[in-house]
């Protein structure tokens, strides 16, 4: 008798559920296959749950394999041991949306995020714990970090979301770019990183842990690279694959700064170059940047928009040509997955920064021809053929013969977005406003807050960051004959308030804000003090707490002093130091406390003589939700600085996700204006593709698409050597005699998209004296 033990079905069952993620020096391996992985960052609280399925679907269509996100500690644990995972903070729902779309997830728990997020993601209560120092071997810090990290891991495990449990998460991250700032932490910093690694490892997530920008990352942590280019990166262990956790698709924006832009060609170049040089995992930071709702923007002075010039714009629209050009690149790289991850690598150096890299397996080879020279094109001779590789570009030939892609040759359309007035509403001037002043009497005239101290405190310590606003108030008494009471008196405040408004005896004497990245300054104004009691009330405002740098948690905010009154009498100057006076503190503003932004608020609003250019003023109006489903924008034209609420959601500026709006009936917009503004110019709009353009060489196929709207007209088309850019194309010196506009009108107008073969068969053969022929077209959506 022979018996056979059978265990196959058991093995089979467990294989169905668990995905095994491992790695070797070449690549991340998933269920036994080395992978070329393309990933993109989408931070769940920077959009709404209603937007997630569409964003993730578009990411998948854009050729991504994985979505990456940080976890935002201060959003989830705003008060110690009180957690919030609701709405935009529903991390589990976000991860499940990724899973539903069949993508992988990369979970960067940190819990330090940076990310231009308020305080880098740390809760301010953490800073206010006794003896606390962040990101070093400080027991109080490590206990709290471990508590939060463990809680997140447990939550994710409970839902079986790690790949080891059959879920989507293939990688987890601990800390973030600590290597960039660890110098000042000395030996403690080194010990801290070891502790981070052990702590993470002990959580037993069943997938590899990564540490970015950490050259001394202890095994088995995978050290990864962040930057605009990572092709030169070499991991610290031969067993670690070459991975890029942040390829910056653009950049963040600061108030008053320019809109950041990184060219599509350059992003594509950096990715192709990375894979040419043995890269295996590339994550776009950001793939969708989104919006900093509420008070989540870091800083100081990070804007509410976190668009980032990412492939999906703030509203979730395709940012073309970036999205499409990268999608083509992803498709080509995926088609070469096997050769790239198993092939033998050889390189040929042609000099002048030109090189070829050949990946060869028994089944075939794939090639990259790179030209790192920024100015001159390279001509590469390879296996009897000659190839022109434009300056600063990479050509990819999946079969080492035919060029399938070049990073500098864009064949994707450019989309020009337009903003349309709210069609459900008449003109903006029909928004009917009511108003009320911020009630400041107790502070301005009485100097009365909720606590007193004979010291000037850092704003964070007093407010716990529950509000941007903190009043610092004191009273100063002068006798009639006080030698101080002269004509030439002034108030001098050494300030680290991002914005400061100063009042004496109820009168606004001036305002100042930090400028040019200098966050400490001196505010000085002449003041007439009276004999008897004088009230000095200083309103300090934060505009996002610092999120980066060694010991950033201790960067001062608020009015840390000293504060003086000076009196000049002829040559004599008398100085009175108020710093150790009795200071009365009040966190927040009355209008916020009485929740004037709530629709059901019973407070009185006046429709009479709505003021313009009045500081500290509340405004309210109602509006109808714009028709259709294009993303909604509120244009706060005419306003200064403040906060806006739509249906109680504090959204500050710009994108108003439709899930914030009542589709039927009235919506309420409440504004708090600090500096003085004119609300009559405020309007609601929708944003959509207005026109699309392409400028493509012959022998390419170009697709024009108005993103679910039909193409209504061809505004410009020329096949030859046209000049100019989208919106300003002009005919060149040669042009086909066929009517290009007519041909394109027939093929495209009335359709949502059309595909055009740019060829002489279709458009005729203009004689452009040897120069390559191009089709330039601008279509109106
Ligand atoms: C990195 C950081 C990210 C983000 C980025 C700039 O250094 O890891 O969180 O801050 O810079 O957008």
């Amino acid at each position: 008798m022979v018996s056979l033990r059978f265990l196959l079905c058991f093995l089979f069952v467990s294989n169905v559920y668990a995905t095994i993620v491992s790695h070797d020096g070449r690549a991340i391996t998933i269920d036994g296959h080395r992978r070329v992985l393309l990933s993109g960052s989408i931070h769940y609280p920077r959009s709404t749950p209603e937007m997630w399925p569409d964003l993730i679907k578009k990411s998948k269509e854009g050729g991504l394999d994985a979505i990456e996100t940080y976890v935002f500690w201060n959003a989830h644990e705003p008060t110690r041991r009180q957690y919030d995972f609701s709405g935009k903070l529903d991390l589990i729902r976000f991860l499940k949306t990724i899973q539903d779309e069949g993508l992988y997830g990369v979970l960067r728990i940190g819990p330090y995020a940076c990310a231009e997020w308020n305080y880098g993601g740390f809760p301010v209560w953490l800073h206010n714990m006794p003896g606390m120092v962040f990101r070093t071997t400080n027991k109080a810090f490590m206990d709290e970090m471990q508590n939060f990290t463990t809680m997140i891991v447990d939550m994710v495990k409970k839902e079986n979301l790690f790949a080891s449990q059959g879920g989507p998460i293939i990688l987890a991250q601990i800390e973030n770019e600590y290597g960039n700032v660890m110098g000042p932490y000395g030996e403690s910093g080194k010990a801290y990183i070891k502790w981070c690694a052990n702590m993470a490892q002990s959580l037993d997530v069943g997938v590899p842990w990564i540490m970015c920008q950490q050259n001394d990352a202890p095994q088995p942590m995978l050290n990864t690279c962040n930057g605009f280019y990572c092709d030169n990166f070499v991991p610290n262990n031969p067993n670690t694959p070459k991975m890029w956790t942040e390829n910056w698709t653009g950049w963040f924006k600061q108030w008053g700064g320019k809109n950041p832009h990184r060219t599509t060609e350059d992003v594509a170049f950096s990715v192709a170059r990375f894979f040419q040089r043995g890269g295996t995992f590339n994550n776009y930071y950001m793939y969708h940047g989104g919006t900093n709702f509420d008070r989540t923007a870091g800083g100081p002075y990070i804007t509410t928009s976190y668009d980032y010039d990412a492939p999906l714009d703030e509203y979730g629209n395709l940012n073309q040509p970036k999205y499409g050009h990268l999608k083509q690149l992803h498709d080509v790289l995926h088609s070469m997955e096997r050769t790239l991850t198993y092939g033998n690598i050889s390189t040929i150096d042609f000099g002048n920064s030109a090189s070829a890299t050949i990946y060869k397996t028994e089944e075939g080879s794939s090639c990259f021809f790179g030209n790192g020279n920024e100015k001159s094109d390279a001509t590469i001779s390879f296996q009897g053929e000659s190839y022109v590789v434009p300056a600063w570009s990479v050509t990819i030939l999946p079969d080492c013969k035919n060029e399938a892609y070049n990073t500098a040759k864009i064949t994707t359309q450019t989309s020009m977005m337009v903003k349309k007035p709210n069609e459900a509403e008449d003109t903006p001037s029909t928004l009917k406003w009511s108003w009320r002043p911020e009630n400041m009497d107790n502070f301005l005239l009485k100097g009365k807050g909720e606590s007193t101290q004979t010291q000037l405190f850092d704003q964070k310590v007093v407010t716990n960051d529950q509000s941007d606003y903190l009043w610092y108030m004191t009273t100063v008494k002068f006798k009639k004959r006080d030698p101080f009471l002269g004509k030439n008196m002034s108030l001098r405040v050494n300030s680290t308030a991002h914005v400061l408004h100063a009042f004496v005896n109820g009168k606004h004497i001036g305002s100042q804000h930090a400028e040019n990245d200098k966050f400490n300054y001196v505010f000085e104004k002449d003041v007439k003090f009276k004999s008897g009691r004088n009230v000095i009330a200083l309103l300090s405002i934060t505009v996002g707490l610092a999120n980066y740098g060694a010991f950033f948690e201790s960067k001062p905010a608020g009015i840390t002093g000293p504060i003086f009154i000076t009196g000049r009498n002829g040559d004599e100057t008398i100085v009175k130091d108020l710093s150790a006076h009795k200071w009365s503190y009040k966190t927040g503003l009355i209008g916020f406390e009485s929740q004037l932004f709530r629709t059901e608020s019973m407070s009185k609003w006046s429709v009479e003589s709505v003021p313009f250019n009045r500081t500290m003023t509340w405004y309210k109006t109602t509006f109808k939700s714009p028709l259709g489903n294009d993303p909604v924008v509120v244009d706060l034209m005419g306003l200064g600085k403040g906060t806006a609420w739509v249906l109680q959601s504090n959204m500050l500026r710009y994108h108003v996700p439709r899930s914030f709006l009542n589709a039927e009936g009235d919506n309420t917009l409440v504004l708090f204006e600090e500096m003085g503004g004119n609300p009559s110019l405020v309007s609601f709009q929708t944003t959509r593709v207005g026109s699309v353009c392409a400028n493509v060489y012959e022998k390419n196929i170009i697709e024009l698409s108005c993103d679910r709207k039909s193409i209504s007209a061809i505004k410009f088309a020329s096949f030859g050597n046209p000049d100019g850019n989208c919106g300003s194309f002009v005919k060149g010196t040669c042009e086909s005699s066929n009517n290009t506009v007519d041909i394109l009108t027939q093929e495209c107008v009335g359709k949502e998209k059309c595909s055009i073969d740019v060829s002489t068969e279709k458009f005729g053969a203009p004689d452009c004296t040897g120069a390559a022929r191009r089709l330039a077209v601008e279509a109106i959506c």
Side-chain angles (χ1 to χ4, degrees):
M1 257 300 197
V2 185
S3 75
L4 286 170
R5 183 185 267 158
F6 58 94
L7 207 95
L8 271 169
C9 61
F10 281 109
L11 286 177
F12 181 68
V13 169
S14 63
N15 273 349
V16 165
Y17 292 107
T19 302
I20 301 188
V21 184
S22 60
H23 63 88
D24 53 28
R26 194 65 182 269
I28 292 289
T29 299
I30 300 180
D31 279 342
H33 300 286
R34 285 187 184 156
R35 302 297 302 271
V36 157
L37 290 170
L38 291 146
S39 165
S41 292
I42 300 180
H43 296 154
Y44 52 99
R46 284 177 158 146
S47 50
T48 59
E50 293 74 14
M51 292 168 71
W52 296 341
D54 181 57
L55 293 174
I56 294 169
K57 190 160 175 285
K58 283 174 173 159
S59 308
K60 186 177 182 184
E61 285 165 4
L64 296 192
D65 305 287
I67 302 293
E68 179 260 44
T69 185
Y70 283 121
V71 178
F72 299 91
W73 186 357
N74 55 1
H76 292 304
E77 196 176 347
T79 306
R80 189 162 180 264
R81 303 297 181 262
Q82 288 179 27
Y83 299 100
D84 185 359
F85 287 90
S86 63
K88 297 190 289 288
L89 297 177
D90 193 342
L91 170 65
I92 298 296
R93 175 167 167 189
F94 182 72
L95 296 172
K96 287 187 174 167
T97 314
I98 295 174
Q99 183 172 34
D100 291 346
E101 206 44 72
L103 292 183
Y104 296 125
V106 177
L107 190 64
R108 303 175 84 189
I109 303 179
Y112 167 62
C114 191
E116 292 67 70
W117 186 267
N118 194 36
Y119 217 36
F122 284 127
V124 172
W125 57 256
L126 183 69
H127 167 67
N128 292 343
M129 285 175 71
M132 176 61 62
V133 188
F134 289 1
R135 305 176 82 195
T136 186
T137 48
N138 172 289
K139 168 106 174 51
F141 176 78
M142 294 192 298
D143 285 350
E144 291 297 320
M145 171 166 166
Q146 180 158 6
N147 183 73
F148 181 74
T149 310
T150 309
M151 195 198 63
I152 294 295
V153 165
D154 288 349
M155 270 177 79
V156 172
K157 270 192 190 168
K158 197 165 151 244
E159 300 289 336
N160 292 326
L161 289 167
F162 285 108
S164 47
Q165 307 171 290
I169 301 168
I170 52 168
L171 296 165
Q173 179 178 300
I174 195 77
E175 249 296 340
N176 185 62
E177 293 195 332
Y178 190 68
N180 289 1
V181 297
M182 75 188 279
Y185 295 87
E187 288 305 311
S188 303
K190 292 183 192 157
Y192 165 67
I193 269 305
K194 289 198 183 116
W195 173 83
C196 288
N198 286 332
M199 192 268 283
Q201 208 51 35
S202 75
L203 297 175
D204 195 21
V205 295
V207 298
W209 283 96
I210 51 180
M211 276 190 169
C212 57
Q213 295 289 99
Q214 196 70 49
N215 287 335
D216 62 349
Q219 287 301 299
M221 303 286 111
L222 306 180
N223 75 313
T224 65
C225 180
N226 293 347
F228 286 107
Y229 309 97
C230 277
D231 47 291
N232 285 329
F233 169 68
V234 183
N236 68 1
N237 186 291
N239 193 34
T240 300
K242 180 164 168 171
M243 297 168 69
W244 191 355
T245 27
E246 289 183 27
N247 179 347
W248 299 320
T249 51
W251 200 239
F252 58 85
K253 187 176 167 181
Q254 282 184 298
W255 291 112
K258 279 198 286 194
N259 277 341
H261 178 56
R262 184 178 181 198
T263 67
T264 298
E265 292 91 332
D266 191 50
V267 182
F269 172 77
S270 69
V271 177
R273 190 86 166 159
F274 180 68
F275 283 95
Q276 172 171 12
R277 299 224 181 141
T280 168
F281 169 96
N282 167 77
N283 176 71
Y284 296 103
Y285 187 98
M286 300 298 295
Y287 196 73
H288 171 255
T291 310
N292 291 314
F293 297 107
D294 305 315
R295 302 174 52 250
T296 58
Y301 290 163
I302 303 294
T303 57
T304 303
S305 167
Y306 198 64
D307 179 87
Y308 221 88
D309 196 21
L312 297 175
D313 73 10
E314 176 174 4
Y315 312 98
N317 295 315
L318 310 187
N319 176 10
Q320 296 284 38
K322 204 170 258 183
Y323 174 89
H325 191 54
L326 294 174
K327 171 183 162 62
Q328 288 174 11
L329 172 59
H330 305 155
D331 292 348
V332 174
L333 290 169
H334 279 136
S335 77
M336 296 154 47
E337 183 166 72
R338 207 180 147 72
T339 1
L340 290 184
T341 54
Y342 290 91
N344 286 328
I345 307 173
S346 57
T347 48
I348 307 170
D349 190 349
F350 297 98
N352 201 15
S353 305
S355 64
T357 306
I358 304 109
Y359 286 81
K360 192 170 164 45
T361 63
E362 277 173 9
E363 293 112 67
S365 354
S366 298
C367 288
F368 292 86
F369 296 162
N371 181 4
N373 190 301
E374 286 175 61
K375 300 225 164 65
S376 55
D377 297 352
T379 303
I380 285 184
S381 297
F382 184 78
Q383 293 181 347
E385 301 275 345
S386 167
Y387 301 85
V388 176
V389 185
W392 201 249
S393 81
V394 177
T395 297
I396 306 179
L397 309 91
D399 58 358
C400 283
K401 199 166 169 50
N402 296 297
E403 170 173 335
Y405 185 85
N406 174 275
T407 57
K409 296 181 190 163
I410 296 184
T411 58
T412 299
Q413 70 179 24
T414 298
S415 301
M416 309 287 273
M417 305 306 288
V418 288
K419 300 216 167 85
K420 299 256 179 202
N422 179 1
E423 282 163 1
E425 197 62 50
D426 302 331
T427 54
S429 56
T430 64
L431 284 176
K432 288 225 168 22
W433 293 95
S434 54
W435 75 286
R436 46 174 294 145
E438 167 67 13
N439 179 358
M440 301 189 290
D441 292 354
N442 266 344
F443 319 126
L444 301 190
L445 302 171
K446 300 186 190 140
K448 203 170 144 231
E450 47 205 12
S451 64
T452 51
Q453 294 286 342
T454 47
Q455 199 183 330
L456 286 164
F457 275 116
D458 185 286
Q459 181 153 350
K460 294 188 287 298
V461 175
V462 186
T463 63
N464 245 319
D465 201 36
Q466 298 297 308
S467 168
D468 284 347
Y469 300 91
L470 178 64
W471 287 100
Y472 293 73
M473 296 161 287
T474 196
T475 51
V476 187
K477 285 190 185 130
F478 290 107
K479 293 202 180 103
K480 250 196 182 137
R481 294 217 176 89
D482 195 305
F484 248 104
L485 262 189
K487 280 186 200 134
N488 301 318
M489 296 183 78
S490 74
L491 176 69
R492 190 195 304 157
V493 181
N494 287 275
S495 169
T496 49
H498 302 155
V499 181
L500 164 70
H501 300 295
F503 303 83
V504 173
N505 297 330
K507 250 188 82 194
H508 180 235
I509 60 160
S511 301
Q512 199 160 329
H513 61 270
E515 265 178 298
N516 305 327
D517 285 339
K518 221 182 138 239
F519 289 96
N520 55 335
Y521 55 91
V522 178
F523 168 89
E524 181 150 26
K525 277 276 168 329
D526 290 347
V527 182
K528 279 205 176 104
F529 288 98
K530 57 181 190 200
S531 66
R533 191 170 169 270
N534 292 272
V535 178
I536 298 175
L538 305 173
L539 179 59
S540 166
I541 304 165
T542 47
V543 191
L545 297 177
N547 56 268
Y548 184 73
F551 303 109
F552 74 84
E553 76 267 26
S554 316
K555 283 190 188 160
I559 301 168
T560 40
I563 299 181
F564 305 104
I565 293 177
T566 58
R568 285 176 304 276
N569 207 350
D571 288 346
E572 193 191 8
T573 303
I574 318 173
V575 178
K576 191 178 175 74
D577 189 345
L578 302 182
S579 312
H581 250 223
K582 192 157 124 196
W583 285 92
S584 180
Y585 290 94
K586 160 78 190 157
T587 296
L589 297 178
I590 299 295
F592 284 70
E593 256 164 40
S594 43
Q595 303 195 320
L596 289 181
F597 43 83
R598 292 191 83 91
T599 351
E600 66 275 17
S601 145
M602 300 304 284
S603 309
K604 279 206 185 114
W605 294 77
S606 164
V607 287
E608 302 300 320
S609 16
V610 177
F612 293 164
N613 293 327
R614 187 184 184 284
T615 58
M616 303 292 175
T617 306
W618 292 83
Y619 297 101
K620 179 153 118 173
T621 188
T622 54
F623 65 97
K624 292 269 185 317
S625 175
L627 300 175
N629 45 24
D630 289 331
V632 179
V633 185
V634 59
D635 183 342
L636 297 180
M637 177 88 157
L639 297 185
K641 174 185 178 301
T643 308
W645 291 260
V646 172
L647 266 193
Q648 298 160 35
S649 289
N650 171 347
M651 27 74 49
L652 295 162
R653 257 173 217 174
Y654 310 140
H655 184 199
V656 185
R658 283 208 179 248
S659 57
F660 288 4
L661 299 176
N662 271 328
E664 319 272 313
D666 281 345
N667 293 283
T668 309
L669 169 69
V670 175
L671 303 171
F672 173 63
E673 167 61 70
E674 246 169 70
M675 314 294 273
N678 175 359
S680 69
L681 301 173
V682 170
S683 65
F684 281 87
Q685 302 164 351
T686 54
T687 175
R688 53 174 292 187
V689 183
S691 59
V692 295
C693 293
N695 189 356
V696 173
Y697 286 101
E698 70 174 294
K699 296 198 185 119
N700 278 300
I701 292 178
I702 159 84
E703 188 172 275
L704 297 179
S705 156
C706 279
D707 195 16
R708 287 168 277 180
K709 305 256 158 37
S710 50
I711 298 170
S712 64
I714 301 296
K715 190 174 161 199
F716 178 93
S718 172
F719 183 60
N721 63 351
D723 219 358
N725 295 314
C726 188
S728 63
F729 284 133
V730 284
K731 294 181 176 183
T733 48
C734 63
E735 191 186 25
S736 119
S737 54
N738 296 5
N739 191 327
T740 319
V741 171
D742 275 0
I743 300 173
L744 288 166
T745 303
Q746 273 187 14
E747 294 216 1
C748 299
V749 171
K751 296 184 186 155
E752 284 183 16
K753 54 172 117 164
C754 57
S755 204
I756 306 142
D757 180 7
V758 184
S759 63
T760 48
E761 289 80 57
K762 179 167 237 109
F763 295 106
D767 178 6
C768 296
T769 52
R773 288 177 281 241
R774 275 183 289 116
L775 171 72
V777 49
E778 179 178 353
I780 306 296
C781 292

